Amino acid sequence: MISTAKLAAAGVVDRLYATFDSPRRQMWLMVAIVVVMALLPLVMGRYTTTIMTNALLYVVLALGLNIVVGYAGLLDLGYAAFFAVGAYSVGILTVQFDWNFWLAIPPALLAACMAGVIIGGPTLRLRSDYLAIVTLGFGEIVRFSARNLEITGRASGLSNIPEPSFFGYVIDSYVDFYYVFLLLAVMAVVASHRLYHSRLGRAWLYVRHDEDAAEAMGINRVRVKLAAYVTGSVFGAIGGIFFSVNLGAISPESFSFEQSVLILMAVILGGMGKIPGVILGAFIIILGPELLRELGELRLLLFAVIMLLIMLLRPSGIWPERRN
Amino acid sequence: MPAFETFLQSIVNGLVLGSFYALIALGYTMIFGVIKLLNFAHGDVYMIGAFVGFGVLSLISGVVGAGWFGLAIAILVSMVAVGCLGVIIQRVAYQPMLSAPRLSILITALAVSLVLQNSALSLTDGKYTAFRTDLGFGGFELGRLFISHQAIVLVAIAALLMIALEFFVSRTMYGRAMRAVSIDKDMCRLMGINVTRVVAITFLIGSGLAAAAGTMAGAYYGSIWYFMGFLIGLKAFTAAVIGGIGSITGAMLGGLILGLLESFGTQISWIGSEWKDVFTFAILILVLVFKPTGLLGKSEVERM
C-alpha cells in the first residue's frame, strides 16, 4: 500500500520539482519569495511576524548545518552547541563586561571557529556513527557547562542583553528583527550557494562520496573536514548572536539536544545538500507545529507522525539533490 | 573509616546504576549489530516499558498486591508487550528504510522517539507519576553501609537476564543466526537464514530488556515521567560504545563501568553531582578518540 502511494507521490512531486530545477527559474523564484517576504510585515500581525522571524532564524541555522551534513557528509548531532557559543559569547560580553554589541561579534565568531576546531579536530578519524555520538556528547557538555558556570548565569541564564543600535537607530521592535533575520537568511543563502560552487564545495562533495578516493586525488581531507565544521559553526554562531539580542535573554534550555535534532530534521526533511530543500525544511519545522496549534497537546505527536510519513514516502527528503 | 564506607557505598550505587545502563545498552548493541542502526528511540522504549509496568502493577495490585510477586508479573508483562512494540516499530518505521540513505533512517528513529515521548506526554500531562510498591525499605546493614533489598534483587534480576541473553546468543539456533546476520546479512540470506525474522527477534529481545530495566527503575526510584528515557538512553549508548558497540559482553561491561565511574564521580568534590553528566560525556569522547572501537569491539572497515 505504501509503495503505490509512494510511487504516485513521487511522480507528481518530481514533475513539480523538475519545473523548478533550472538555475535561472530558481533565482527568479528566490527573488520573488524575498520580495514577498519583505512585504509580509505590512499585512502580518505581531504573532505571525514573530513566528516568521523564528523560521528565518532556522533557515540560517539549517543552512549552516547543511554545510556540515549535506555538503561534507559529517553527521552532527550537537549543532546547537555552536548556536549556544554565539549566543553566550555575545551575552557574556555585553551583560557581564558591558561591551558594545557590534564589538562583541568578532570575538563570538572567533569562539565559534575555535569550537569548530575543538570538536572537529579529534573526531575527524571517527566513523560516522561515532562521530554522531561524539558531537551529541559535545553539545550536552556545552549545555551542562552553561547551566553550571557562574559567568553564564547558571540555570537562569543571562537576561537584559541590551538592544543593538545601528548608527543611532535602535533595533528593538519585532518588525526590525524580522528584517534583520530576513537579511541574514538571504546572506546565508548566497554564501551557501557560493560555497557549493567553490573549489572547497567540490572538495566537500568528493569527501562525502568517497573519502579515500578524494585523498588519493590530492584533497587534504583533514583540512577540508575542518573547514566544513568551522564554516558550519560560523553560520550557527551568527544565528545565536542575533537570537540572543532578539530575545534579550538566553538560558541553557534554548540549546538542548532537541534543538540540534530540530535543526537536523529541517535539513533532512527538506533534502540534504539542496538549498531550496533546506529552506523548505526549516519552514516546515517551525510553521508545522504552529499550524497544528489548535490541536493542543497532541500537536507535537501529530507532527512527529507526519514527519515519519514524509521520511517513509520520500527517504531522501522532500526536495532532494538530483543524482548525477 | 567513613572514607572506606563511602567507597563501598559508591560501589553499591554504581552496580545498581550500571545494571540499568547495561540492560539498555544491550538493546542498543544488538540492534546496531544486526541492522547497523543507532536506535535513538531505544531510551523511549525504556520509558514506555516503565509506564506499561506501572499500568500492569496498578491493575493487578488489588489481586496479588504490589510486592515482589506483583512486580515480577509487571516486569514480565511489560517485557512481552514492549518487546512486541519494538517489533512493530521495526516493521513500520525501520524495515522500509533499510535501503534509504543512512541519515534518513537515523531521522526516522528520532521521529519514532518523538512519537513515543509525545504519546506519553499527552497521556500523562507531563507530570511525574508516582510508582508505588509495597516492597518496604528493608535491607542489610554492614557497619554504616546500607544495602536495600531492592538493590540486591534488581541487580540479581539484571544479572539473570544478561546470563540468559548470553546463553541465548551463544548456544541457541537463533542466537547463532543473529551473530551470523551481524557479520554478513546478504550471505545469510543466500544460506537460507530468514533475516527478517532474526531482525524481529533482535528487536523483541532488545526492547524487552529495556522494558525490564524501565519497570525496575520505576520501582527503585519511585516515580516515572515521559522524559525519563532521554538521558538514560544517551548514557546507555555511551556504555555500549565504551564496551565496543556490537559486542554483547562489551555492553554489559560498559554499563557497569559507566555506572561505577558515575557513582565515584559524584563523590569527587571537584566534579560533584552538577558536573556528573559532563563527566560521562567527557569519558565517552576520550574513549572514542583513543580507542574508537571500544574495549571489546573489533575494528571494522567502513565506507559510507
Side-chain angles (χ1 to χ4, degrees):
Chain A
M1 185 198 77
I2 279 188
S3 65
T4 331
K6 203 172 175 172
L7 281 178
V12 173
V13 172
D14 282 340
R15 216 169 305 155
L16 193 66
Y17 294 152
T19 321
F20 286 108
D21 251 345
S22 96
R24 183 180 289 180
R25 277 193 191 141
Q26 259 178 35
M27 201 191 79
W28 284 113
L29 186 69
M30 284 289 180
V31 171
I33 289 174
V34 171
V35 170
V36 170
M37 290 213 50
L39 296 174
L40 276 182
L42 301 177
V43 291
M44 290 189 301
R46 180 176 191 136
Y47 173 71
T48 326
T49 311
T50 312
I51 290 168
M52 289 302 274
T53 307
N54 199 17
L56 288 168
L57 165 69
Y58 260 66
V59 169
V60 177
L61 296 176
L63 283 172
L65 183 60
N66 182 46
I67 289 173
V68 184
V69 180
Y71 290 180
L74 307 162
L75 183 51
D76 187 346
L77 289 180
Y79 191 67
F82 299 131
F83 182 45
V85 167
Y88 269 107
S89 302
V90 165
I92 290 169
L93 289 175
T94 55
V95 174
Q96 314 275 35
F97 298 99
D98 286 328
W99 280 39
N100 177 290
F101 168 73
W102 303 104
L103 276 182
I105 290 181
L109 294 181
L110 194 68
C113 291
M114 273 160 53
V117 173
I118 289 173
I119 187 61
T123 55
L124 289 168
R125 287 177 303 130
L126 294 179
R127 309 183 341 161
S128 56
D129 308 289
Y130 288 159
L131 186 64
I133 220 71
V134 166
T135 50
L136 198 164
F138 177 71
E140 290 297 284
I141 287 179
V142 167
R143 185 169 65 93
F144 280 119
S145 305
R147 206 163 66 188
N148 291 322
L149 286 172
E150 201 66 63
I151 199 165
T152 52
R154 294 186 183 263
S156 47
L158 295 170
S159 52
N160 297 324
I161 298 170
E163 277 127 1
S165 62
F166 191 69
F167 293 114
Y169 179 79
V170 181
I171 304 171
D172 59 354
S173 78
Y174 66 92
V175 178
D176 292 343
F177 275 106
Y178 175 83
Y179 284 114
V180 167
F181 279 100
L182 183 61
L183 184 67
L184 289 177
V186 170
M187 279 160 52
V189 170
V190 173
S192 291
H193 183 80
R194 301 283 307 248
L195 279 169
Y196 184 75
H197 293 284
S198 71
R199 199 185 161 82
L200 185 59
R202 284 196 301 278
W204 282 330
L205 191 74
Y206 294 143
V207 167
R208 187 185 71 199
H209 279 306
D210 193 332
E211 218 171 280
D212 299 325
E215 182 97 71
M217 299 286 283
I219 290 172
N220 182 338
R221 68 174 168 184
V222 169
R223 198 185 296 164
V224 165
K225 281 183 175 180
L226 269 184
Y229 269 116
V230 170
T231 318
S233 70
V234 166
F235 274 64
I238 290 174
I241 287 166
F242 286 92
F243 170 81
S244 68
V245 288
N246 182 13
L247 286 190
I250 45 178
S251 76
E253 299 322 306
S254 314
F255 312 103
S256 58
F257 174 61
E258 213 177 322
Q259 185 77 268
S260 302
V261 167
L262 282 180
I263 305 170
L264 183 66
M265 277 178 174
V267 173
I268 296 191
L269 265 185
M272 275 193 305
K274 178 102 178 171
I275 296 172
V278 172
I279 297 172
L280 190 67
F283 275 94
I284 292 177
I285 288 288
I286 295 302
L287 302 184
E290 291 302 331
L291 294 175
L292 300 171
R293 189 168 276 280
E294 280 171 25
L295 293 168
E297 286 268 285
L298 285 173
R299 74 194 170 107
L300 269 176
L301 176 59
L302 188 70
F303 179 63
V305 171
I306 292 174
M307 218 167 56
L308 198 57
L309 286 177
I310 293 180
M311 282 329 282
L312 289 173
L313 295 174
R314 290 190 72 82
S316 307
I318 300 174
W319 194 337
E321 202 179 7
R322 265 191 309 179
R323 296 262 162 85
N324 46 354
Chain B
M1 278 199 298
F4 185 64
E5 274 153 11
T6 316
F7 175 77
L8 286 181
Q9 192 72 57
S10 295
I11 289 187
V12 174
N13 297 343
L15 279 179
V16 176
L17 199 58
S19 314
F20 291 143
Y21 289 160
L23 280 181
I24 310 165
L26 281 171
Y28 263 117
T29 246
M30 290 168 67
I31 290 166
F32 186 86
V34 295
I35 59 171
K36 300 280 173 279
L37 162 72
L38 290 187
N39 185 12
F40 276 110
H42 197 63
D44 301 294
V45 168
Y46 156 89
M47 175 272 297
I48 297 285
F51 275 96
V52 173
F54 171 76
V56 173
L57 195 63
S58 324
L59 274 181
I60 61 169
S61 60
V63 187
V64 297
W68 289 115
F69 184 59
L71 188 63
I73 295 177
I75 290 177
L76 278 179
V77 175
S78 174
M79 280 180 79
V80 173
V82 175
C84 294
L85 176 72
V87 177
I88 294 171
I89 291 174
Q90 191 268 329
R91 277 292 150 82
V92 173
Y94 302 150
Q95 188 74 32
M97 302 293 292
L98 284 182
S99 56
R102 292 200 55 172
L103 279 173
S104 306
I105 189 167
L106 211 59
I107 292 297
T108 316
L110 290 170
V112 170
S113 155
L114 277 181
V115 169
L116 295 179
Q117 251 174 43
N118 285 292
S119 308
L121 171 66
S122 42
L123 288 175
T124 59
D125 283 338
K127 294 191 190 83
Y128 281 87
T129 309
F131 197 117
R132 289 202 186 81
T133 52
D134 304 335
L135 301 179
F137 300 96
F140 294 104
E141 282 190 46
L142 297 170
R144 258 184 284 167
L145 178 69
F146 178 77
I147 309 173
S148 69
H149 288 145
Q150 267 122 312
I152 296 171
V153 175
L154 294 183
V155 171
I157 296 178
L160 207 69
L161 285 172
M162 288 191 263
I163 291 168
L165 179 73
E166 185 62 50
F167 178 80
F168 176 83
V169 171
S170 61
R171 299 289 163 79
T172 64
M173 193 179 77
Y174 275 116
R176 208 168 293 154
M178 208 181 274
R179 281 182 289 148
V181 168
S182 76
I183 295 169
D184 191 335
K185 214 180 297 166
D186 295 326
M187 196 55 83
C188 286
R189 204 169 271 128
L190 291 176
M191 300 296 282
I193 293 175
N194 187 340
V195 174
T196 326
R197 190 184 294 165
V198 172
V199 172
I201 289 175
T202 309
F203 268 85
L204 184 81
I205 296 176
S207 307
L209 290 176
T215 311
M216 287 174 4
Y220 187 72
Y221 294 113
S223 73
I224 52 180
W225 71 310
Y226 79 100
F227 207 56
M228 68 189 270
F230 172 69
L231 197 60
I232 205 163
L234 284 185
K235 301 257 182 83
F237 182 81
T238 306
V241 169
I242 291 177
I245 197 154
S247 153
I248 288 183
T249 332
M252 297 185 217
L253 189 69
L256 290 178
I257 290 177
L258 188 64
L260 289 171
L261 278 177
E262 239 182 50
S263 168
F264 282 116
T266 42
Q267 300 298 331
I268 304 170
S269 58
W270 53 268
I271 293 178
S273 55
E274 284 167 358
W275 292 95
K276 185 183 71 174
D277 299 321
V278 172
F279 182 63
T280 310
F281 291 118
I283 292 171
L284 170 73
I285 293 177
L286 286 179
V287 169
L288 283 179
V289 167
F290 291 107
K291 189 132 180 34
T293 51
L295 296 175
L296 299 180
K298 293 178 201 71
S299 63
E300 195 176 330
V301 184
E302 189 217 32
R303 213 167 260 247
M304 277 294 279

